[in-house]
Amino acid sequence: MKTATLNKGKESKYLNHYPLIDEEDIYAHDHLKEGDLVKLVTDQQQYIATGYVGRQHKGLGWVLSYDENAEINTSFFVHLFEKALEGREYYFNIEGTNAFRLFNAEGDGVGGLTIDNYDSHLLIQWYSKGIYKFRYNVLEAIKTVFNFTSIFEKMRFKDTSYAGGFVAGEAPEFPIIIEENFTFYNVDLNDGLMTGIFLDQKEVRKKLRDQFSENRHVLNLFSYTGAFSMIAAEHARSTTSVDLVNRSRALTEENFGLNGIDSKSQYIYVMDTFDFYNYATRQGYQYETIVIDPPSFARNKKKTFSVQKDYDSLIEGALNILSPEGTLLLCTNSSAFSLKAFKNVIKKSLSQSEVEYEINEVMGLPKDFKTHPHYKPSKYLKAIFVTIKH
C-alpha cells in the first residue's frame, strides 16, 4: 500500500471524516496511480485513513476506512453492501415502487460507486478508473448480498472505449417496465448513460402529483422521457412536455401508453425551451404548474446553457406563461450549485420581476440516496416549489 502525505495544516478536515481526498492537500502525488490503495498520513506520518486513488470531482480519490488494519477486499464490500441493504428495507416492503438506489457512493462508504435496483435488474455505475480496479471484489460482494435477475454496468469516466453492458444473470429484453409511486416507466439499462428515469426525483414527482397537479395545466420543460408528465397526468387537466432531443417524443409517448393514457390527449413538443417560451407567449398559452428541471450544462447549435449562469432567464421566461397563483417547480442536480446560491437566484429573479411569491416546499434527495454528513456536494439535488401571488 502506498502513502499519501498531507500538507501541513490539512489534516483536520480528514480527521473530521471528510471523504474526498483533495489533490491540492497532498504533498506529492506523482507516484499515485488509479486504483492504488493509499494510507493518508499527516506530515508527521500519523495515520488518518485508508483510501483509494480514483480521480473525480477535482479529487485525487476517496477515503474507504479509518481503521489502519482494514483490508480492502471482497469481505470489506460485503459488509458495506449488507449495511446499505438494511437501510433500504423500507423500499422492498412498500407497494407501488420497485426501482430505487441500493448503494449511494460516499453516502454508503465508497465514493465513485453506485448501484441501482430496477425491479431486480441491478445497474452498477463506475465513476473513475480507480474504483473500476476493484470490479472483481465489488461484483463478488454484490452476488453475495443482493438478490438479482441481472447485473449491468455503465462507465461514467472518460478515457475508456468500453461503455458498459451486461455483466451477470439473465439478460432481459429492453425496455423493461418499472413502477414508481404507482406510475409505470420504460427503462433501458443498456442504451448509453441514461436509463429512462432519474430515480433521485421520486419524492419530488410524488409531491407534484399530490399537491400541484389537480385540475391544472402542467408544463414539463426539459422533459426527457416525460416522467413528471406521467405522474401529473393522473390528476391534471393536461400535460405539455418539451424537450430538444428528437427521441424524447417517442419515449414520452410510450410511457403514456404504459399508463393507459392516450398520448394524443397530451401535448409533446420537440423544441428548445426558450423557443417554446416565445411560441407559448405568442399563442397565449397559460399553465398553472411549470416544471423546470434542466441539465447542469447543455449546448446546442444556437447557445450554451449553464444552470449557474442561466437559471434566472428560465424563471423569467416561465413567468410570462404562468397563470395567476401558479406554481413553479424549480430543480437542479448541480453539486456545484449550493442550496443557498440556488435560493438566492430564485429570490433575485422573482424580486426583479416584481412578483410576490411564497416558497411552498424545499426538497432534496430521497432516503435511498444516502448522503454524507461531512460532504455537502453529496446533497446535490435541490427542488423548490414556489407559488407566485399575482
Side-chain angles (χ1 to χ4, degrees):
M1 190 180 299
K2 294 182 180 179
T3 299
T5 304
L6 290 167
N7 290 318
K8 194 169 184 178
K10 294 293 185 181
E11 61 274 357
S12 59
K13 72 181 185 184
Y14 299 100
L15 288 167
N16 288 324
H17 289 195
Y18 185 78
L20 183 70
I21 304 171
D22 286 330
E23 203 160 327
E24 62 188 22
D25 292 347
I26 306 300
Y27 174 67
H29 48 74
D30 291 347
H31 65 300
L32 302 177
K33 302 290 185 284
E34 291 283 313
D36 282 348
L37 286 171
V38 295
K39 283 190 178 180
L40 201 62
V41 299
T42 67
D43 63 323
Q44 300 296 314
Q45 299 303 294
Q46 174 194 351
Y47 173 85
I48 294 179
T50 300
Y52 79 92
V53 178
R55 287 171 174 81
Q56 184 189 349
H57 296 322
K58 298 180 181 177
L60 178 68
W62 296 93
V63 171
L64 293 173
S65 175
Y66 297 93
D67 177 3
E68 190 169 5
N69 299 313
E71 290 187 44
I72 311 303
N73 52 21
T74 300
S75 296
F76 172 82
F77 289 104
V78 165
H79 172 72
L80 287 180
F81 292 168
E82 286 175 342
K83 189 176 176 184
L85 183 61
E86 193 177 308
R88 273 72 175 183
E89 189 176 347
Y90 164 82
Y91 289 99
F92 284 100
N93 292 298
I94 59 169
E95 290 185 9
T97 295
N98 59 19
F100 47 89
R101 180 148 290 185
L102 288 172
F103 190 87
N104 194 41
E106 67 274 4
D108 282 302
V110 183
L113 173 71
T114 64
I115 307 168
D116 292 318
N117 169 41
Y118 294 88
D119 191 19
S120 83
H121 299 280
L122 306 189
L123 175 65
I124 311 166
Q125 297 188 85
W126 311 93
Y127 284 83
S128 72
K129 276 186 177 180
I131 191 60
Y132 193 65
K133 300 274 187 178
F134 297 90
R135 184 176 186 269
Y136 172 80
N137 300 112
V138 169
L139 283 176
E140 289 304 300
I142 286 173
K143 292 172 184 176
T144 300
V145 176
F146 301 119
N147 292 321
F148 63 90
T149 301
S150 72
I151 301 174
F152 284 77
E153 64 184 351
K154 290 184 188 294
M155 309 296 113
R156 304 294 302 224
F157 55 90
K158 296 176 182 176
D159 306 322
T160 176
S161 57
Y162 170 58
F166 174 70
V167 175
E170 298 174 27
E173 281 191 28
F174 289 118
I176 57 172
I177 299 170
I178 61 102
E179 186 176 13
E180 180 195 275
N181 293 314
F182 298 98
T183 306
F184 299 98
Y185 304 93
N186 277 321
V187 162
D188 189 337
L189 306 184
N190 207 23
D191 181 24
L193 291 179
M194 308 284 232
T195 65
I197 191 168
F198 297 111
L199 298 179
D200 53 5
Q201 289 274 26
K202 65 171 72 65
E203 296 302 324
V204 180
R205 283 190 280 270
K206 184 174 184 292
K207 178 71 69 174
L208 174 70
R209 178 193 67 193
D210 294 349
Q211 294 186 23
F212 299 96
S213 297
E214 187 75 42
N215 206 31
R216 295 186 181 204
H217 294 291
V218 177
L219 171 61
N220 179 15
L221 300 169
F222 306 96
S223 58
Y224 183 32
T225 61
F228 281 110
S229 304
M230 296 310 122
I231 201 161
E234 184 182 341
H235 300 299
R237 288 171 70 187
S238 74
T239 68
T240 300
S241 305
V242 179
D243 199 286
L244 184 61
V245 180
N246 259 319
R247 66 191 297 239
S248 64
R249 177 191 293 277
L251 294 170
T252 300
E253 288 174 345
E254 288 163 11
N255 276 337
F256 275 125
L258 280 183
N259 290 283
I261 299 167
D262 182 358
S263 62
K264 292 184 175 63
S265 69
Q266 310 298 311
Y267 301 93
I268 303 171
Y269 294 88
V270 178
M271 287 179 79
D272 171 81
T273 291
F274 293 101
D275 290 343
F276 181 80
Y277 280 160
N278 293 332
Y279 169 74
T281 301
R282 289 196 305 272
Q283 296 295 322
Y285 294 160
Q286 293 272 289
Y287 303 92
E288 285 85 9
T289 297
I290 300 178
V291 180
I292 305 178
D293 185 19
S296 296
F297 180 83
R299 180 185 284 120
N300 64 34
K301 292 176 184 177
K302 294 182 183 178
K303 60 176 83 74
T304 298
F305 173 86
S306 160
V307 287
Q308 286 167 286
K309 291 180 182 177
D310 302 312
Y311 211 110
D312 55 351
S313 55
L314 284 176
I315 294 171
E316 290 159 18
L319 291 175
N320 294 327
I321 53 175
L322 186 70
S323 298
E325 305 295 320
T327 300
L328 300 175
L329 168 51
L330 306 171
C331 308
T332 177
N333 66 355
S334 171
S335 58
F337 205 0
S338 70
L339 177 59
K340 183 179 179 181
F342 187 42
K343 277 185 173 178
N344 285 341
V345 166
I346 294 169
K347 289 174 181 176
K348 185 179 178 183
S349 299
L350 296 177
S351 296
Q352 287 179 344
S353 298
E354 298 182 343
V355 295
E356 289 187 35
Y357 63 91
E358 177 187 354
I359 293 180
N360 308 104
E361 189 94 27
V362 178
M363 300 181 71
L365 290 164
K367 56 189 176 183
D368 53 322
F369 280 71
K370 188 177 178 182
T371 59
H372 193 289
H374 305 298
Y375 185 62
K376 286 184 180 177
S378 74
K379 299 176 182 177
Y380 63 86
L381 181 68
K382 281 78 63 175
I384 300 179
F385 290 87
V386 187
T387 294
I388 309 302
K389 299 181 174 182
H390 285 274

